[in-house]
Amino acid sequence: MRQLRDVFAFSWSADGQFIEIRPTGGPAARGGRGGLELFQCLGADALPTRRNARDHERFVALTLQNPVIRVILSRMNQLGVDDCWLASGCLFQTVWNLRCGKAPTAGIRDYDLIYFDADTSWDAENAVIQRAARLFADVDARIELRNQARVHLWYEAKFGRRFGSLTHSCHSLWRYPSRTSAVAMRIHPAGHIELYAPFGIRHALDLKVRPNRRADIADVYDSKARRWRGEWPALSVEPW
């Protein structure tokens, strides 16, 4: 049976109320409080388990204990860019910190914002970077921004392998070296929290690092896994 978590984004209100499952390539199917009835709108072949829904809800609740994440989420729509998400490390590493009894922000090197702009010039991206620097000037954290529409322009020079062009911001998550790290979050314009996790978030909650072999970047995975294991010794790392 196809897993819903592989093809849908889950959404919550700011207070943690589950309100939406959005097909990644189609219109939203909405439900009421608790969201169980909206599963029926998606067809029996796509029904998620209750455990999957609880996992996503727990993940959101844990990440929101990081004060930097809360600030970024509350302001990021002010950047005025399309398809903007807070992605990867800062999210699952916050969860690891709390699972390991650490402060929510411990060991997090940076907070990555991704967005999608058809203008792939460096000048356009740099303008967004400068806006972000002003917007988050009072935040004691390193915040980085990358236009996902131009990743293919510099990726080969940096990593030594070709990278096809992307069609939207979260398209890049499918190519991350680890399935565990493929997660992104944002505040939807309607005001609720939206979580995108193409491989689910059970690995992150269970302190397991799993490779994304479809990405074919074993060296990048191994390097990241070594650093993560050094910072969070309780992690279980699956070899490439």
Side-chain angles (χ1 to χ4, degrees):
M1 183 175 70
R2 185 179 57 171
Q3 291 297 306
L4 179 69
R5 65 187 180 193
D6 292 334
V7 292
F8 288 84
F10 290 67
S11 299
W12 286 261
S13 62
D15 62 358
Q17 174 62 53
F18 179 58
I19 60 173
E20 179 184 75
I21 295 178
R22 179 178 57 81
T24 57
R30 294 182 181 273
R33 299 185 61 83
L36 294 179
E37 63 267 42
L38 67 81
F39 294 165
Q40 304 301 324
C41 301
L42 303 173
D45 63 334
L47 287 177
T49 64
R50 288 175 180 268
R51 178 181 178 181
N52 288 345
R54 289 196 300 268
D55 286 348
H56 282 73
E57 189 170 5
R58 182 183 178 198
F59 187 92
V60 170
L62 289 171
T63 56
L64 292 180
Q65 293 186 47
N66 183 329
V68 178
I69 288 177
R70 292 200 303 272
V71 170
I72 293 174
L73 288 175
S74 69
R75 299 181 190 177
M76 56 192 289
N77 286 339
Q78 298 177 43
L79 288 170
V81 294
D82 292 331
D83 201 17
C84 189
W85 297 77
L86 181 63
S88 197
C90 66
L91 300 174
F92 65 85
Q93 289 166 16
T94 294
V95 171
W96 290 349
N97 281 332
L98 294 169
R99 289 292 320 279
C100 295
K102 296 186 175 187
T105 59
I108 299 176
R109 292 183 173 181
D110 50 41
Y111 293 74
D112 295 322
L113 283 169
I114 59 176
Y115 67 98
F116 199 88
D117 183 356
D119 184 344
T120 59
S121 68
W122 162 245
D123 287 344
E125 183 175 76
N126 189 50
V128 178
I129 292 172
Q130 296 306 314
R131 289 205 300 274
R134 294 189 293 271
L135 182 62
F136 300 113
D138 61 329
V139 178
D140 185 20
R142 180 180 177 182
I143 300 173
E144 295 191 344
L145 287 89
R146 291 292 181 268
N147 178 11
Q148 301 302 285
R150 66 185 306 272
V151 172
H152 66 285
L153 300 177
W154 53 261
Y155 190 93
E156 184 174 3
K158 183 174 181 179
F159 294 107
R161 51 179 61 86
R162 297 187 64 182
F163 191 91
S165 59
L166 301 171
T167 58
H168 58 92
S169 291
C170 288
H171 189 180
S172 62
L173 272 62
W174 294 87
R175 304 184 190 180
Y176 280 16
S178 172
R179 289 176 170 236
T180 309
S181 64
V183 59
M185 185 182 294
R186 70 175 177 178
I187 298 292
H188 189 275
H192 56 265
I193 295 171
E194 193 167 26
L195 181 69
Y196 190 107
F199 305 109
I201 42 75
R202 167 52 45 182
H203 297 325
L205 291 170
D206 285 346
L207 303 178
K208 295 179 180 179
V209 179
R210 296 292 180 262
N212 177 21
R213 296 184 180 90
R214 72 171 65 191
D216 194 25
I217 45 177
D219 54 335
V220 178
Y221 173 79
D222 290 341
S223 176
K224 288 181 177 293
R226 282 194 300 272
R227 187 187 82 78
W228 294 341
R229 185 69 180 276
E231 186 69 38
W232 296 276
L235 293 178
S236 169
V237 177
E238 179 181 321
W240 187 275

